[in-house]
Amino acid sequence: MEIIRTVSWMKQAARQARAENHIIGLVPTMGALHEGHISLLRRAKSECSEVFASIFVNPTQFGPNEDLSKYPRTFEADAEKLETAGVGVLFAPEAKEMYPSGFSTGVTVEGLSDCLEGQSRPGHFRGVATVVLKLFEIAQPHFAFFGRKDAQQVRILQKMTADLNLNLEVVVCPIVRETDGLALSSRNSYLNPEERRAATVLYRSLAALRDAISSGTRDSLTLQNVARGVLAEEKLARVDYAEIVSTDSFEPIARVGGVPAYVLLAVFIGTTRLIDNLLIEPASDCEQLRCTL
Ligand code: AMP
């Protein structure tokens, strides 16, 4: 695996792969790699002839009171995992390589970026969209792979890709979970043992909501109260938001069943902020709904 630190060298590698008629898959990450990231790499490997990964802890997507400086950095172990996963090129630039002095451009996907994560983390999605557009331009992928764990992020990136007529497809991959249901996240490493046990409450509340749907509940407020009830029982949990929204617009919906929907959670466990979601889709029999955790 080649490790590339500069934009110009990465562009050259992308040009060469394109000249060799490779189908390029890109998996952007912030490192501290876990099985969730590996699942994206596997998917990329299965659909593309050349897989590029990036590790870049993007400063512009962190708010002033967020965890940029303490974000876990495990570069050596990450590089080994990427090599094992069959990645051809790892792009791992320094911040000043991506944002040289005088950098002043930003990409804002209006509307979708304003609610939920965008409201709790002002400027976050502008940082994400800007760096991902740069990564797309630098690595020239045919396909880029993202996790449904960050559902609003991937929707925004799909919208950016469509609005700006980018020549690639954004692929959404399933959420990988621990055996007790906790969605894998680099931020799980912040949890102490007691918080780690408490953190399963996100999964448990989504599972309770799913069960309520199976029993026929369709009203969003009633469903939200099911999830909030489970969350309220966990003393270490503080809910930031628990909303049911259309997967397309991310606007709240009054009833589930009509259009594909997400139940989106952001919950503080101690000082660590975790997100998770449940996907609700109409099934072929219109009375039934398919729920995916
Ligand atoms: P990050 O390194 O946190 O920026 O994540 C890089 C990519 O991995 C993003 O597309 C995430 O959505 C995805 N990802 C993170 N956690 C998971 C998970 N548990 N399952 C699937 N994908 C994930």
Short mmCIF file of all heavy atoms in Angstrom, two decimals, residues 158-206:
data_model
loop_
_atom_site.label_atom_id
_atom_site.label_comp_id
_atom_site.label_asym_id
_atom_site.label_seq_id
_atom_site.Cartn_x
_atom_site.Cartn_y
_atom_site.Cartn_z
N GLN A 158 -24.83 13.11 -0.77
CA GLN A 158 -25.58 12.72 -1.98
C GLN A 158 -26.17 13.95 -2.66
O GLN A 158 -26.15 14.07 -3.88
CB GLN A 158 -26.72 11.76 -1.62
CG GLN A 158 -26.26 10.34 -1.36
CD GLN A 158 -27.41 9.45 -0.91
OE1 GLN A 158 -28.31 9.89 -0.20
NE2 GLN A 158 -27.37 8.19 -1.31
N LYS A 159 -26.70 14.85 -1.85
CA LYS A 159 -27.32 16.07 -2.40
C LYS A 159 -26.26 16.94 -3.08
O LYS A 159 -26.47 17.46 -4.17
CB LYS A 159 -28.02 16.83 -1.26
CG LYS A 159 -28.82 18.02 -1.68
CD LYS A 159 -30.12 17.58 -2.34
CE LYS A 159 -31.14 18.69 -2.57
NZ LYS A 159 -30.67 20.01 -2.82
N MET A 160 -25.11 17.07 -2.42
CA MET A 160 -24.02 17.85 -3.01
C MET A 160 -23.60 17.24 -4.36
O MET A 160 -23.40 17.96 -5.35
CB MET A 160 -22.81 17.87 -2.06
CG MET A 160 -21.58 18.53 -2.64
SD MET A 160 -20.16 18.47 -1.53
CE MET A 160 -19.54 16.81 -1.83
N THR A 161 -23.50 15.91 -4.37
CA THR A 161 -23.07 15.20 -5.59
C THR A 161 -24.07 15.43 -6.73
O THR A 161 -23.67 15.67 -7.87
CB THR A 161 -22.93 13.69 -5.28
OG1 THR A 161 -21.96 13.56 -4.25
CG2 THR A 161 -22.50 12.90 -6.48
N ALA A 162 -25.36 15.41 -6.39
CA ALA A 162 -26.38 15.65 -7.42
C ALA A 162 -26.40 17.12 -7.83
O ALA A 162 -26.37 17.43 -9.03
CB ALA A 162 -27.75 15.22 -6.88
N ASP A 163 -26.42 18.01 -6.85
CA ASP A 163 -26.53 19.45 -7.16
C ASP A 163 -25.36 19.94 -7.99
O ASP A 163 -25.53 20.80 -8.86
CB ASP A 163 -26.59 20.27 -5.86
CG ASP A 163 -27.94 20.18 -5.16
OD1 ASP A 163 -28.88 19.59 -5.74
OD2 ASP A 163 -28.06 20.71 -4.03
N LEU A 164 -24.17 19.42 -7.73
CA LEU A 164 -22.98 19.90 -8.43
C LEU A 164 -22.59 18.99 -9.60
O LEU A 164 -21.51 19.13 -10.17
CB LEU A 164 -21.80 20.04 -7.45
CG LEU A 164 -22.02 21.03 -6.29
CD1 LEU A 164 -20.79 21.11 -5.40
CD2 LEU A 164 -22.37 22.41 -6.82
N ASN A 165 -23.48 18.04 -9.93
CA ASN A 165 -23.26 17.15 -11.09
C ASN A 165 -21.90 16.46 -11.03
O ASN A 165 -21.18 16.37 -12.04
CB ASN A 165 -23.37 17.93 -12.42
CG ASN A 165 -24.64 18.74 -12.49
OD1 ASN A 165 -24.64 19.96 -12.36
ND2 ASN A 165 -25.74 18.05 -12.66
N LEU A 166 -21.54 15.99 -9.86
CA LEU A 166 -20.25 15.31 -9.72
C LEU A 166 -20.30 13.95 -10.40
O LEU A 166 -21.34 13.29 -10.41
CB LEU A 166 -19.89 15.16 -8.24
CG LEU A 166 -19.88 16.46 -7.42
CD1 LEU A 166 -19.45 16.18 -5.98
CD2 LEU A 166 -18.97 17.51 -8.05
N ASN A 167 -19.17 13.55 -10.95
CA ASN A 167 -19.12 12.30 -11.72
C ASN A 167 -18.79 11.11 -10.84
O ASN A 167 -17.78 10.43 -11.05
CB ASN A 167 -18.06 12.41 -12.82
CG ASN A 167 -18.65 13.09 -14.04
OD1 ASN A 167 -19.78 12.79 -14.43
ND2 ASN A 167 -17.89 14.01 -14.59
N LEU A 168 -19.61 10.87 -9.84
CA LEU A 168 -19.38 9.70 -9.01
C LEU A 168 -20.68 9.34 -8.32
O LEU A 168 -21.63 10.12 -8.33
CB LEU A 168 -18.30 9.98 -7.95
CG LEU A 168 -18.67 11.00 -6.89
CD1 LEU A 168 -18.69 10.36 -5.53
CD2 LEU A 168 -17.73 12.17 -6.93
N GLU A 169 -20.67 8.15 -7.73
CA GLU A 169 -21.85 7.70 -7.00
C GLU A 169 -21.50 7.56 -5.53
O GLU A 169 -20.47 6.97 -5.20
CB GLU A 169 -22.33 6.36 -7.56
CG GLU A 169 -23.64 5.91 -6.97
CD GLU A 169 -24.08 4.55 -7.51
OE1 GLU A 169 -23.82 4.28 -8.71
OE2 GLU A 169 -24.62 3.76 -6.73
N VAL A 170 -22.36 8.11 -4.68
CA VAL A 170 -22.19 7.95 -3.23
C VAL A 170 -22.94 6.68 -2.81
O VAL A 170 -24.13 6.55 -3.06
CB VAL A 170 -22.74 9.18 -2.49
CG1 VAL A 170 -22.83 8.92 -0.98
CG2 VAL A 170 -21.88 10.40 -2.78
N VAL A 171 -22.21 5.74 -2.20
CA VAL A 171 -22.80 4.45 -1.80
C VAL A 171 -22.98 4.45 -0.28
O VAL A 171 -22.04 4.76 0.46
CB VAL A 171 -21.88 3.28 -2.22
CG1 VAL A 171 -22.50 1.94 -1.81
CG2 VAL A 171 -21.60 3.33 -3.71
N VAL A 172 -24.19 4.10 0.17
CA VAL A 172 -24.50 4.08 1.60
C VAL A 172 -24.41 2.65 2.12
O VAL A 172 -25.04 1.75 1.56
CB VAL A 172 -25.92 4.63 1.87
CG1 VAL A 172 -26.13 4.80 3.38
CG2 VAL A 172 -26.15 5.94 1.14
N CYS A 173 -23.63 2.45 3.17
CA CYS A 173 -23.39 1.10 3.70
C CYS A 173 -24.03 0.94 5.09
O CYS A 173 -24.17 1.92 5.82
CB CYS A 173 -21.89 0.84 3.80
SG CYS A 173 -21.02 1.07 2.24
N PRO A 174 -24.40 -0.31 5.45
CA PRO A 174 -25.10 -0.55 6.72
C PRO A 174 -24.26 -0.19 7.95
O PRO A 174 -23.04 -0.10 7.88
CB PRO A 174 -25.39 -2.05 6.71
CG PRO A 174 -25.09 -2.53 5.34
CD PRO A 174 -24.20 -1.54 4.67
N ILE A 175 -24.96 -0.06 9.08
CA ILE A 175 -24.31 0.24 10.35
C ILE A 175 -23.74 -1.05 10.94
O ILE A 175 -24.45 -2.05 11.03
CB ILE A 175 -25.31 0.86 11.35
CG1 ILE A 175 -25.90 2.15 10.79
CG2 ILE A 175 -24.64 1.10 12.71
CD1 ILE A 175 -26.96 2.79 11.68
N VAL A 176 -22.49 -1.03 11.33
CA VAL A 176 -21.88 -2.18 12.02
C VAL A 176 -21.97 -1.93 13.52
O VAL A 176 -21.65 -0.82 13.99
CB VAL A 176 -20.42 -2.38 11.58
CG1 VAL A 176 -19.78 -3.54 12.34
CG2 VAL A 176 -20.35 -2.61 10.07
N ARG A 177 -22.40 -2.96 14.24
CA ARG A 177 -22.66 -2.82 15.68
C ARG A 177 -21.85 -3.83 16.50
O ARG A 177 -21.48 -4.89 15.99
CB ARG A 177 -24.15 -3.04 15.97
CG ARG A 177 -25.05 -2.05 15.28
CD ARG A 177 -26.54 -2.31 15.51
NE ARG A 177 -27.32 -1.30 14.82
CZ ARG A 177 -27.51 -0.06 15.28
NH1 ARG A 177 -27.04 0.28 16.46
NH2 ARG A 177 -28.19 0.82 14.59
N GLU A 178 -21.64 -3.49 17.76
CA GLU A 178 -21.10 -4.45 18.71
C GLU A 178 -22.18 -5.51 18.97
O GLU A 178 -23.35 -5.29 18.64
CB GLU A 178 -20.75 -3.76 20.04
CG GLU A 178 -19.75 -2.63 19.92
CD GLU A 178 -18.30 -3.11 19.85
OE1 GLU A 178 -18.06 -4.33 19.75
OE2 GLU A 178 -17.41 -2.24 19.88
N THR A 179 -21.80 -6.62 19.63
CA THR A 179 -22.79 -7.67 19.85
C THR A 179 -23.94 -7.18 20.74
O THR A 179 -25.06 -7.68 20.63
CB THR A 179 -22.15 -8.93 20.48
OG1 THR A 179 -21.33 -8.50 21.56
CG2 THR A 179 -21.33 -9.70 19.48
N ASP A 180 -23.70 -6.20 21.60
CA ASP A 180 -24.79 -5.68 22.43
C ASP A 180 -25.55 -4.54 21.75
O ASP A 180 -26.39 -3.89 22.37
CB ASP A 180 -24.28 -5.24 23.81
CG ASP A 180 -23.28 -4.08 23.72
OD1 ASP A 180 -23.06 -3.55 22.62
OD2 ASP A 180 -22.72 -3.71 24.77
N GLY A 181 -25.27 -4.29 20.48
CA GLY A 181 -26.06 -3.34 19.71
C GLY A 181 -25.44 -1.97 19.55
O GLY A 181 -25.83 -1.21 18.66
N LEU A 182 -24.47 -1.62 20.37
CA LEU A 182 -23.85 -0.29 20.26
C LEU A 182 -23.21 -0.13 18.87
O LEU A 182 -22.41 -0.98 18.46
CB LEU A 182 -22.79 -0.10 21.35
CG LEU A 182 -22.03 1.23 21.29
CD1 LEU A 182 -22.94 2.42 21.57
CD2 LEU A 182 -20.85 1.22 22.27
N ALA A 183 -23.56 0.93 18.18
CA ALA A 183 -22.95 1.20 16.87
C ALA A 183 -21.47 1.51 17.07
O ALA A 183 -21.11 2.30 17.95
CB ALA A 183 -23.65 2.36 16.20
N LEU A 184 -20.62 0.88 16.28
CA LEU A 184 -19.18 1.15 16.39
C LEU A 184 -18.93 2.63 16.06
O LEU A 184 -19.54 3.19 15.14
CB LEU A 184 -18.39 0.27 15.42
CG LEU A 184 -18.44 -1.23 15.66
CD1 LEU A 184 -17.45 -1.95 14.76
CD2 LEU A 184 -18.14 -1.57 17.10
N SER A 185 -18.04 3.22 16.82
CA SER A 185 -17.66 4.61 16.59
C SER A 185 -16.29 4.84 17.21
O SER A 185 -16.00 4.28 18.29
CB SER A 185 -18.69 5.55 17.24
OG SER A 185 -18.15 6.86 17.34
N SER A 186 -15.50 5.66 16.55
CA SER A 186 -14.19 6.00 17.13
C SER A 186 -14.37 6.65 18.49
O SER A 186 -13.52 6.53 19.37
CB SER A 186 -13.44 6.94 16.19
OG SER A 186 -13.40 6.40 14.90
N ARG A 187 -15.49 7.33 18.69
CA ARG A 187 -15.73 8.04 19.95
C ARG A 187 -16.09 7.09 21.09
O ARG A 187 -16.08 7.51 22.26
CB ARG A 187 -16.80 9.11 19.77
CG ARG A 187 -16.32 10.27 18.89
CD ARG A 187 -17.28 11.45 18.89
NE ARG A 187 -16.66 12.64 18.31
CZ ARG A 187 -16.76 13.01 17.04
NH1 ARG A 187 -17.45 12.28 16.19
NH2 ARG A 187 -16.14 14.09 16.60
N ASN A 188 -16.41 5.83 20.78
CA ASN A 188 -16.71 4.88 21.87
C ASN A 188 -15.50 4.71 22.79
O ASN A 188 -15.65 4.33 23.95
CB ASN A 188 -17.12 3.51 21.31
CG ASN A 188 -18.46 3.57 20.59
OD1 ASN A 188 -19.17 4.58 20.67
ND2 ASN A 188 -18.79 2.50 19.88
N SER A 189 -14.30 5.00 22.27
CA SER A 189 -13.09 4.83 23.09
C SER A 189 -13.05 5.85 24.24
O SER A 189 -12.29 5.69 25.17
CB SER A 189 -11.83 4.96 22.23
OG SER A 189 -11.74 6.29 21.73
N TYR A 190 -13.88 6.89 24.17
CA TYR A 190 -13.93 7.86 25.28
C TYR A 190 -14.70 7.33 26.48
O TYR A 190 -14.63 7.92 27.56
CB TYR A 190 -14.64 9.15 24.84
CG TYR A 190 -14.03 9.90 23.68
CD1 TYR A 190 -14.84 10.67 22.85
CD2 TYR A 190 -12.67 9.87 23.43
CE1 TYR A 190 -14.31 11.38 21.79
CE2 TYR A 190 -12.13 10.58 22.36
CZ TYR A 190 -12.95 11.33 21.55
OH TYR A 190 -12.43 12.04 20.50
N LEU A 191 -15.50 6.28 26.28
CA LEU A 191 -16.43 5.82 27.33
C LEU A 191 -15.69 5.01 28.39
O LEU A 191 -14.92 4.10 28.05
CB LEU A 191 -17.53 4.96 26.71
CG LEU A 191 -18.37 5.61 25.60
CD1 LEU A 191 -19.23 4.55 24.90
CD2 LEU A 191 -19.26 6.72 26.17
N ASN A 192 -15.95 5.32 29.67
CA ASN A 192 -15.42 4.45 30.72
C ASN A 192 -16.35 3.23 30.82
O ASN A 192 -17.42 3.20 30.18
CB ASN A 192 -15.27 5.21 32.05
CG ASN A 192 -16.61 5.63 32.64
OD1 ASN A 192 -17.61 4.94 32.48
ND2 ASN A 192 -16.64 6.76 33.33
N PRO A 193 -15.97 2.19 31.59
CA PRO A 193 -16.77 0.95 31.57
C PRO A 193 -18.25 1.18 31.92
O PRO A 193 -19.13 0.58 31.30
CB PRO A 193 -16.08 0.07 32.62
CG PRO A 193 -14.67 0.55 32.61
CD PRO A 193 -14.72 2.02 32.35
N GLU A 194 -18.51 2.06 32.86
CA GLU A 194 -19.90 2.31 33.24
C GLU A 194 -20.66 3.00 32.10
O GLU A 194 -21.80 2.65 31.78
CB GLU A 194 -19.90 3.21 34.49
CG GLU A 194 -21.20 3.21 35.25
CD GLU A 194 -21.23 4.30 36.32
OE1 GLU A 194 -20.16 4.87 36.63
OE2 GLU A 194 -22.32 4.59 36.81
N GLU A 195 -19.99 3.96 31.47
CA GLU A 195 -20.61 4.66 30.34
C GLU A 195 -20.80 3.71 29.15
O GLU A 195 -21.79 3.80 28.43
CB GLU A 195 -19.74 5.85 29.92
CG GLU A 195 -19.73 6.97 30.94
CD GLU A 195 -18.67 8.03 30.65
OE1 GLU A 195 -17.69 7.73 29.91
OE2 GLU A 195 -18.79 9.14 31.19
N ARG A 196 -19.83 2.83 28.98
CA ARG A 196 -19.93 1.87 27.87
C ARG A 196 -21.19 1.01 28.01
O ARG A 196 -21.88 0.73 27.04
CB ARG A 196 -18.66 0.99 27.82
CG ARG A 196 -18.71 -0.18 26.86
CD ARG A 196 -18.87 0.28 25.41
NE ARG A 196 -19.07 -0.85 24.50
CZ ARG A 196 -20.23 -1.47 24.34
NH1 ARG A 196 -21.31 -1.09 25.01
NH2 ARG A 196 -20.33 -2.47 23.48
N ARG A 197 -21.47 0.60 29.26
CA ARG A 197 -22.70 -0.17 29.50
C ARG A 197 -23.93 0.70 29.23
O ARG A 197 -24.88 0.25 28.59
CB ARG A 197 -22.74 -0.69 30.95
CG ARG A 197 -22.06 -2.04 31.14
CD ARG A 197 -22.33 -2.62 32.52
NE ARG A 197 -21.80 -1.76 33.59
CZ ARG A 197 -20.53 -1.78 34.01
NH1 ARG A 197 -19.67 -2.61 33.46
NH2 ARG A 197 -20.13 -0.98 34.98
N ALA A 198 -23.88 1.94 29.68
CA ALA A 198 -25.02 2.86 29.51
C ALA A 198 -25.27 3.15 28.02
O ALA A 198 -26.41 3.38 27.60
CB ALA A 198 -24.77 4.15 30.26
N ALA A 199 -24.19 3.14 27.22
CA ALA A 199 -24.28 3.56 25.81
C ALA A 199 -25.18 2.65 24.98
O ALA A 199 -25.66 3.06 23.91
CB ALA A 199 -22.88 3.62 25.20
N THR A 200 -25.45 1.44 25.48
CA THR A 200 -26.36 0.55 24.72
C THR A 200 -27.78 1.10 24.71
O THR A 200 -28.63 0.59 23.99
CB THR A 200 -26.38 -0.87 25.34
OG1 THR A 200 -26.81 -0.77 26.70
CG2 THR A 200 -25.02 -1.53 25.26
N VAL A 201 -28.04 2.14 25.52
CA VAL A 201 -29.39 2.68 25.58
C VAL A 201 -29.84 3.24 24.23
O VAL A 201 -31.04 3.25 23.93
CB VAL A 201 -29.52 3.74 26.71
CG1 VAL A 201 -28.85 5.06 26.33
CG2 VAL A 201 -30.97 3.94 27.10
N LEU A 202 -28.92 3.71 23.40
CA LEU A 202 -29.34 4.20 22.08
C LEU A 202 -29.97 3.05 21.28
O LEU A 202 -31.07 3.18 20.75
CB LEU A 202 -28.15 4.79 21.30
CG LEU A 202 -27.67 6.18 21.71
CD1 LEU A 202 -26.71 6.12 22.89
CD2 LEU A 202 -27.02 6.91 20.55
N TYR A 203 -29.25 1.94 21.24
CA TYR A 203 -29.75 0.77 20.51
C TYR A 203 -31.05 0.27 21.13
O TYR A 203 -32.02 -0.04 20.43
CB TYR A 203 -28.69 -0.34 20.54
CG TYR A 203 -29.15 -1.63 19.91
CD1 TYR A 203 -29.15 -1.79 18.53
CD2 TYR A 203 -29.61 -2.69 20.71
CE1 TYR A 203 -29.57 -2.97 17.95
CE2 TYR A 203 -30.03 -3.87 20.13
CZ TYR A 203 -30.02 -4.00 18.75
OH TYR A 203 -30.45 -5.16 18.18
N ARG A 204 -31.06 0.21 22.48
CA ARG A 204 -32.26 -0.33 23.15
C ARG A 204 -33.48 0.54 22.88
O ARG A 204 -34.58 0.03 22.69
CB ARG A 204 -31.99 -0.45 24.66
CG ARG A 204 -31.03 -1.61 24.98
CD ARG A 204 -30.88 -1.85 26.47
NE ARG A 204 -29.94 -0.93 27.10
CZ ARG A 204 -30.27 -0.02 28.00
NH1 ARG A 204 -31.52 0.11 28.42
NH2 ARG A 204 -29.35 0.77 28.53
N SER A 205 -33.29 1.84 22.84
CA SER A 205 -34.45 2.72 22.60
C SER A 205 -34.93 2.59 21.15
O SER A 205 -36.14 2.59 20.89
CB SER A 205 -34.11 4.16 22.95
OG SER A 205 -33.14 4.66 22.08
N LEU A 206 -33.99 2.45 20.22
CA LEU A 206 -34.39 2.26 18.82
C LEU A 206 -35.08 0.90 18.63
O LEU A 206 -36.05 0.79 17.87
CB LEU A 206 -33.17 2.36 17.89
CG LEU A 206 -32.51 3.74 17.79
CD1 LEU A 206 -31.21 3.66 17.00
CD2 LEU A 206 -33.46 4.75 17.14
#
